[in-house]
């Protein structure tokens, strides 16, 4: 084998993937958000309360840390996770490929399409026996937005994955999220720490 390095083995940093109006319409960085709005503070993200929205904290068994926020709204579920990211490049293009590989290993299929936030994956995921409502697969949409030094991933299931009107409602909810990256140095892809709400207004449950 030659020691000569092939420049193709070291591709340019991947460009960010985000809607053109992200800085005004969201998802917002903390520096872009209106500081007087009554957000529920969950550490790495802030959620704007709205009628009919139910908030769940997803807890990792061993560490007992919060690893994702589940939002139930308008017949849909939205799971969100904020990650640290490089300042000048994005993560979504690379992570999308990894999600597709993971789902393929589970026996599922994914289709990439252009959505409201840019490229997204529509996945058909096998459901274990006894868990499905008649069908053997479930549909989920994987969405992602690269912001300034952060990446926000969302997984939409339920009506928002299959119904256009419900999709608009859950996408509006995703847009309303504020990401709080903080100034602490973090390696790219590390989960930005999440926590229980500091105020009772969120009324979270651990279920």
């Amino acid at each position: 084998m030659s020691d000569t390095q092939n420049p193709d083995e070291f591709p340019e940093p991947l460009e960010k993937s985000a809607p053109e109006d992200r800085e005004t319409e969201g998802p917002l960085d903390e520096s872009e958000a209106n500081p007087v709005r009554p957000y529920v503070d969950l550490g790495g993200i802030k959620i704007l309360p709205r009628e009919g929205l139910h908030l769940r904290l997803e807890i990792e068994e061993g560490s007992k840390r919060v690893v994702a926020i589940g939002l139930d709204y308008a017949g849909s579920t939205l799971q969100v996770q904020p990650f640290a990211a490089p300042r000048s490049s994005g993560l979504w293009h690379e992570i999308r490929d990894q999600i597709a590989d993971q789902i393929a290993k589970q026996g599922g299929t994914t289709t990439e399409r252009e959505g409201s936030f840019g490229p997204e994956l529509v996945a058909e995921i096998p459901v274990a026996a006894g868990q499905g409502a008649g069908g053997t697969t479930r549909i989920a949409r994987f969405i992602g937005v690269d912001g300034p030094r952060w990446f926000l991933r969302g997984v939409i299931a339920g009506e928002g994955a299959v119904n256009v009107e419900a999709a608009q409602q859950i996408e509006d909810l995703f847009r309303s999220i504020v990401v709080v990256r903080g100034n602490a140095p973090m390696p790219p892809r590390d989960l930005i720490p999440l926590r229980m709400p500091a105020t009772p207004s969120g009324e979270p449950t651990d279920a």
Side-chain angles (χ1 to χ4, degrees):
M1 288 179 64
S2 168
D3 290 336
T4 305
Q5 291 182 331
N6 182 344
D8 292 339
E9 293 174 3
F10 300 93
E12 290 295 310
L14 291 165
E15 63 184 26
K16 291 179 184 288
S17 174
E20 289 185 6
D21 58 359
R22 185 206 63 74
E23 292 182 23
T24 55
E25 301 302 315
L28 298 174
D29 183 71
E30 184 183 25
S31 65
E32 300 158 344
N34 184 336
V36 301
R37 298 190 82 178
Y39 288 104
V40 178
D41 185 353
L42 298 158
I45 62 173
K46 292 180 179 179
I47 305 283
L48 197 61
R50 57 181 71 195
E51 187 155 352
L53 173 62
H54 296 280
L55 173 66
R56 288 176 291 105
L57 304 181
E58 300 189 14
I59 311 289
E60 191 175 61
E61 281 289 322
S63 67
K64 300 298 181 189
R65 69 172 182 151
V66 181
V67 293
I69 304 297
L71 303 168
D72 298 328
Y73 182 65
S76 308
T77 62
L78 170 64
Q79 182 207 63
V80 291
Q81 293 177 294
F83 297 93
R87 187 182 299 276
S88 56
S89 58
L91 296 178
W92 182 223
H93 295 303
E94 187 179 350
I95 287 176
R96 213 164 55 246
D97 291 341
Q98 293 171 351
I99 292 170
D101 288 344
Q102 284 179 334
I103 290 171
K105 287 174 183 173
Q106 296 171 16
T109 59
T110 54
T111 304
E112 184 165 319
R113 70 179 185 188
E114 196 68 18
S116 302
F117 302 99
E120 65 175 60
L121 286 179
V122 180
E124 201 166 321
I125 304 168
V127 176
Q131 293 181 7
T136 55
T137 60
R138 67 183 179 92
I139 304 295
R141 293 171 56 202
F142 290 81
I143 56 178
V145 170
D146 289 304
R149 297 174 62 237
W150 52 258
F151 164 70
L152 184 65
R153 192 186 89 159
V155 185
I156 298 170
E159 286 297 308
V162 295
N163 177 296
V164 174
E165 191 174 318
Q168 290 176 339
Q169 289 181 288
I170 206 75
E171 288 167 9
D172 182 61
L173 177 62
F174 188 72
R175 285 267 199 183
S176 74
I177 293 172
V178 174
V179 179
V180 183
R181 166 63 178 81
N183 295 319
M186 290 178 68
R189 294 171 169 266
D190 268 19
L191 183 69
I192 299 171
L194 298 164
R195 63 164 187 255
M196 294 277 288
T199 64
S201 58
E203 298 179 1
T205 64
D206 294 343

